[in-house]
Amino acid sequence: MSNTRRPLAALVAALVGAGALVGCSGGQPAGSPSPQATGGEAAGPVTLRVVSLLPGSEQAAIDAFNAQVKEFEDANPGIDIQPEEYEWKATTFAAQLAGGTLPQVFEIPFTDAKTLIENKQIAELDAQFQTLPYASKFNPAILDAGKGPDGKVYAIPGKNVYGVGLHYNRDLFTAAGLDPENPPKTWDEVREAAKKIAEKNPGVAGYAQMTQNNTGGWQLVANTFAHGGRVQEVKADGSATSTLNNDGTKAALQMLKDMRWGDNSMGANFMFDWGSINQAFAAGQIAMYTSGADVYTSLIQTNGVKPESYGLTAMPLQGDDAGVLTGGTMVAMPASVTDAEKDAAIKWIDFFYLAKLVDKDRAVADAKTLAANNQPVGTPVLPMFNKAQWDENQEWIKEYINVPLDQMKGYTDTMFDLPLVGEPSQKTQEIYALLDPVVQAVLTDKNADIDALLNDANTQAQALLDQK
């Protein structure tokens, strides 16, 4: 298997080249608003149901979103936006899509687009995508995740790419006599800090791990990469070999087993998914966990985390081929939508997701609206285009940045040098689902046999990969 350790800056440079983002395009000059952002009548009145925020989001976040909707509708009087709360979950998404209950503009993980395209479940958006003045400037590796075998775009990168990081509670570190300015840099230090925190703060998990709704598999794969392992080998002909029983996965699970049964530092709740672990962390019940580095926004909007208690640092890496799992979100539409709905949707996607990354006026307007409603501006993410564009964007919005960046330096100081590794490319969610019970077993059964669990999961994963 080829070495997948490639710093983001080098990867983007290799894929995108040295060209400027919009200023060198054949379209409009840099800094000028895109036609989608500035309005223009749709073909006729169109009602467009779009994802808004996570269920349970705070009123300030809802107010900020509604202000953005009003701004868009004022600029696009032929389009009526109807926001709907939404949280992607592997266990419910397929039924929602099949049942027609999803909004017309919804979000999916990078890993899901290829399967949905193959199954003809999402609409082709290529013609609409090509109207974006920056369409040719995307990192090709990111854009490819939403392309079909015909080379056309079906799902559009909707949010910047994340790398998994280590999130920690600064207050719990201080209470345990640890320095929140010096968070763990190795897995041994994570284990040591978790044990101290659990001993000093009864009832608190020094470290916790997601375990259900496919998130257990997702974070086990992240920890596998961080320990130098890989879970899948894909050959040039497209065939794939499952390698779930690799040394990196075994090391990650052994660490969890030692922390749970040896150190008693992982608390008493071992059934977390993405939403519930965020909630427990914000409530001060968890001191450390791993997740996408962009989760701070959700912690503020949905969970009411105290900004002064939050810390973010880089994922500890151990092993010669250790890397950081990276992923992101794409925007798609059901296959049943009309051309008029597609045309309206690309205007919304440009306005809400993308224009603020490449256009100064849109970036400032978006940041100003969010800041006015006490919503996060400046949460660390990785560039969807290139580092130069990201740097320029940060300069545009610097007066509105309100996230505690000084408490995230362990991540931001290294984010462009991280050896990024993409999620497994075949049967991704199905394989994550196979790994959920493996993580659960290690945390709930003192006698769990890691080798046997992984060998069984590997056999099942290979059967999935062999399906045509």
Side-chain angles (χ1 to χ4, degrees):
M1 181 167 51
S2 62
N3 191 325
T4 49
R5 294 186 61 180
R6 299 189 68 189
L8 180 69
L11 174 64
V12 173
L15 292 172
V16 181
L21 177 61
V22 176
C24 293
S25 70
Q28 61 199 73
S32 62
S34 68
Q36 287 76 21
T38 55
E41 295 289 341
V46 176
T47 297
L48 195 67
R49 293 161 41 234
V50 307
V51 299
S52 58
L53 303 172
L54 293 171
S57 293
E58 297 186 345
Q59 188 59 48
I62 296 171
D63 291 343
F65 187 88
N66 289 340
Q68 291 170 311
V69 169
K70 184 179 186 304
E71 181 184 356
F72 176 82
E73 290 180 337
D74 287 345
N76 296 273
I79 303 174
D80 175 30
I81 296 294
Q82 292 189 357
E84 296 184 11
E85 291 183 338
Y86 172 85
E87 180 179 0
W88 182 91
K89 288 189 176 183
T91 51
T92 58
F93 174 79
Q96 290 174 314
L97 181 58
T101 60
L102 289 175
Q104 292 151 308
V105 178
F106 57 82
E107 298 173 358
I108 56 174
F110 274 23
T111 53
D112 278 26
K114 296 289 189 185
T115 299
L116 294 171
I117 295 168
E118 181 181 345
N119 294 340
K120 303 186 186 306
Q121 292 175 283
I122 58 177
E124 181 201 316
L125 300 173
D126 196 75
Q128 289 75 21
F129 174 78
Q130 299 303 335
T131 66
L132 297 173
Y134 45 86
S136 65
K137 304 303 177 182
F138 280 87
N139 178 331
I142 293 173
L143 187 59
D144 181 68
K147 285 187 174 182
D150 56 4
K152 294 184 178 180
V153 172
Y154 289 74
I156 299 172
K159 294 179 180 177
N160 279 6
V161 183
Y162 68 80
V164 171
L166 179 68
H167 308 265
Y168 66 99
N169 184 305
R170 294 169 58 88
D171 292 344
L172 291 173
F173 266 61
T174 300
L178 300 169
D179 181 6
E181 303 299 334
N182 187 30
K185 296 180 177 61
T186 68
W187 287 113
D188 286 343
E189 290 178 2
V190 168
R191 183 178 175 183
E192 181 181 356
K195 187 175 181 180
K196 288 182 178 179
I197 291 168
E199 290 172 347
K200 295 286 187 179
N201 300 274
V204 169
Y207 180 86
Q209 186 92 352
M210 298 181 212
T211 59
Q212 59 180 348
N213 294 330
N214 295 23
T215 63
W218 173 49
Q219 283 307 295
L220 178 57
V221 170
N223 288 346
T224 293
F225 292 171
H227 283 83
R230 298 295 184 271
V231 299
Q232 196 174 96
E233 293 182 359
V234 180
K235 301 179 178 62
D237 63 3
S239 62
T241 301
S242 179
T243 57
L244 295 182
N245 50 0
N246 68 86
D247 288 343
T249 305
K250 291 178 183 179
L253 287 170
Q254 187 63 51
M255 180 191 74
L256 294 178
K257 189 173 185 178
D258 292 342
M259 293 173 73
R260 163 66 175 100
W261 299 105
D263 302 341
N264 193 29
S265 63
M266 296 189 67
N269 184 356
F270 308 109
M271 297 301 291
F272 289 115
D273 62 8
W274 184 85
S276 57
I277 205 169
N278 290 345
Q279 184 178 21
F281 176 79
Q285 299 165 1
I286 293 171
M288 291 181 285
Y289 74 115
T290 58
S291 187
D294 59 344
V295 80
Y296 178 79
T297 296
S298 180
L299 289 171
I300 289 289
Q301 292 181 336
T302 308
N303 306 115
V305 74
K306 296 188 300 181
E308 63 272 17
S309 73
Y310 176 81
L312 170 66
T313 193
M315 188 88 156
L317 300 179
Q318 177 178 312
D320 292 340
D321 201 26
V324 175
L325 183 146
T326 182
T329 299
M330 307 203 88
V331 183
M333 302 185 76
S336 59
V337 293
T338 66
D339 286 344
E341 289 165 342
K342 293 181 188 180
D343 292 342
I346 199 65
K347 294 176 182 290
W348 172 253
I349 292 168
D350 175 67
F351 170 88
F352 184 70
Y353 293 98
L354 298 174
K356 62 187 176 185
L357 304 178
V358 300
D359 172 69
K360 181 178 181 179
D361 291 343
R362 181 72 229 126
V364 171
D366 181 80
K368 187 175 182 179
T369 297
L370 292 172
N373 288 277
N374 297 315
Q375 296 306 293
V377 177
T379 298
V381 292
L382 300 173
M384 195 177 295
F385 299 97
N386 55 41
K387 185 177 183 298
Q389 171 270 321
W390 184 90
D391 288 337
E392 185 176 41
N393 176 272
Q394 295 302 289
E395 183 66 23
W396 292 338
I397 65 173
K398 65 179 182 180
E399 69 176 283
Y400 300 102
I401 292 176
N402 55 14
V403 304
L405 289 177
D406 287 346
Q407 297 162 208
M408 305 177 182
K409 289 176 66 64
Y411 183 82
T412 58
D413 284 354
T414 63
M415 59 189 266
F416 292 111
D417 297 315
L418 295 173
L420 298 176
V421 185
E423 295 181 78
S425 61
Q426 295 194 20
K427 303 292 183 180
T428 311
Q429 295 299 331
E430 295 96 323
I431 288 171
Y432 287 168
L434 287 176
L435 291 172
D436 275 1
V438 173
V439 182
Q440 293 168 17
V442 168
L443 296 178
T444 58
D445 180 2
K446 187 174 184 178
N447 298 314
D449 185 332
I450 290 174
D451 285 347
L453 288 166
L454 286 178
N455 287 338
D456 181 55
N458 196 62
T459 298
Q460 295 180 64
Q462 189 61 55
L464 287 171
L465 294 174
D466 289 341
Q467 292 176 1
K468 301 301 181 183

